[in-house]
Amino acid sequence: MGVCFFYINFEGGFKLDNVIVAKFGGSSLADSKQFLKVKDIIKSNSNRKYIIPSAPGKVHKGDHKITDLLYMCYQLASHRLNIDDVYNIIEKRFLDICSDLQLELDIQESLDHIKEKIQMGSSKDYAASRGEYLNAIILSNFLDFNFVDSKDVIVFDDKGEFDSKATEIKMKEKLKNIDGAVIPGFYGAKSNGEIVTFGRGGSDITGSIVASSLDCKLYENWTDVSGFLMADPTIVDTPRPIEVITYKELRELSYMGAPVLHEESLFPVKNKGIAINIKNTNAPEHAGTKIVNDKYPIENTESITGIAGKKDFTVIAIEKTRMISEKDFLRKLITVLETNNISIQHMPSSIDSISLIISASQLNSKLDKVIEEIKIYCNPDSIIAYPNMALIAVVGRGMIRTKGISSRIFTALSQSGINIRMITQGSSELNIIIGVENIDFDKSIASIYKAFEK
Ligand code: ASP
C-alpha cells in the first residue's frame, strides 16, 4: 500500500486534498451482495480512502440488525442466561458473508473471543460495538485496505465525553502513512481502553469525525435512499430528492420533523466547511443530496428546497391594547412559561396581540394553570387557547432573491380551500412557517409541493 498524500497547508496544519471519507450504513453492508456493491463503489474512485462501516443491518424486513442482537446478548449475559441461540445468528451472518465472498480470513477466532467476553460480563458498549468491529475487519480484508481500530483513533475522556482535540491528534498521527483504511463506526475508547459507543446510528458521527479530523474534501454517507426528499413520501406521491441543501436549511427542516442526519453527525464537518453527500448504495448513479456550507452561492432558483411540518400545537392568543408600550409585558409572559418549564416554538405578534405557539405535549395538563397565571401577571384584554394546530415550514435559500414564491404558496393553499391560521417568516428569509388546523395538514403539504412541481 502506498504512502498517503498529506501536505502542509498555509495555517501549518495537515490537509488531505481530494480525499473522501465514505461511510456505509447497515443496509449497505447487510450481506455479501451488498459488500460487492460497496467494493465497486469504493474502487470506482481512488479518492475514497477512508471507509467507515456500520454493523450489518437487516437483509429483509423480518430480519434483525446485528447491533440489536448484540444488545440482546448483553442483556441475556447480564442476567446470567445462555446467549448461544442469539449469538449463533450473529456468527452465521458474519461467517456467511466471509464464505460467500471467498475470503481467506479466519473470523471464527474473533467471534469466539467476543462471545467469551460477553458471557463473562463485558460492558454494554463493548458488546454493542463488536458488529462494527467485525464488519470493518471483513471489509478491510475484502478491499485490501488497512484495518484501523476506532479504539485507537476516536478518543473519549474519563467521563465518557467525546474528546475532539485528542481525536484529531491521534487520528492524524495514526493515519498519516496509511493510504486506504477501514475504520469501524459507532465507537471509540477512553485512555484506559474501555470502549464507548456514540448513540444509536452513531456511525454517521464517526464518519463526520474522521472527515473533519483529517480535513478531507468530502464526506459521503452511503445509505439505501437517494438523499433527502423534498416532502414526506407518505403525504406526497414520490417527492423529488433534494439535490443541494445548506446546513441552515437542513436545520430548519429537521427542526420541523424531517428525517435527516443527526445534528451531532453534522457538527464536525459543518465546522470545517466540508460538504456531505448522501448517496444510495443501491443506485450509485444518482447524484443524491449534497449538504453544503451556508455560504454556498444562492442560485436564481424558482423553487423551494423542502417542506416539513408537525402536528399538535396549541396556540395561546393574547390581546391587550398597547401591550407594546408596556415595557415589562413580554418579560412577565415569558416568566410564566419559564416557571412552568414550557418552551415556545414561535411567537408571532402584532401591535396589540401576541400568539404563543407551544407543542401540545409540553402543555399537557398545564394549560389551565398557565392561562390563569398569564391572566394574573399580564392582565390581558382576552386570552384564548386554540388546540389541534399544525405548523408547516417551507424552506428555501432562493426565497430571499426570488419574487413570487410566497404568492405561489398561498395561492396553492387558498385554491385547496385551506384556512391559514398563522404566517411567520424567519429574518434570514430562509423559511415561511404556516399554521393550519391539524385536519388540513396533509392537504396543505401536498398542495404546496404541487405548486413547485417541475
Ligand atoms: N450499528 C449501530 C446502530 O445500529 C450504529 C450505526 O449503525 O450507525 O445503531
Side-chain angles (χ1 to χ4, degrees), residues 302-314:
E302 295 280 297
S303 193
I304 53 172
T305 307
I307 314 164
K310 279 188 195 166
K311 284 188 187 170
D312 296 327
F313 289 93
T314 298

Side-chain angles (χ1 to χ4, degrees), residues 23 25-26 54-55 65 67-68 71 128 132 185-186 199-204:
K23 179 254 166 179
S54 282
K65 288 174 100 176
T67 311
D68 292 333
Y71 276 123
E132 271 70 11
F186 193 35
R200 291 305 302 263
S203 302
D204 285 341

Side-chain angles (χ1 to χ4, degrees), residues 390-394 409-410 413 420 422-423 432-436 448:
L391 292 182
I392 295 167
V394 186
I409 296 171
F410 297 120
L413 290 172
I420 300 169
M422 185 212 80
I423 304 165
I432 294 176
I433 313 264
I434 300 155
V436 297
I448 296 169

Side-chain angles (χ1 to χ4, degrees), residues 128-144:
S129 69
R130 294 306 90 184
E132 271 70 11
Y133 170 81
L134 289 167
N135 227 19
I137 291 182
I138 297 173
L139 185 61
S140 62
N141 185 284
F142 186 44
L143 296 172
D144 197 18

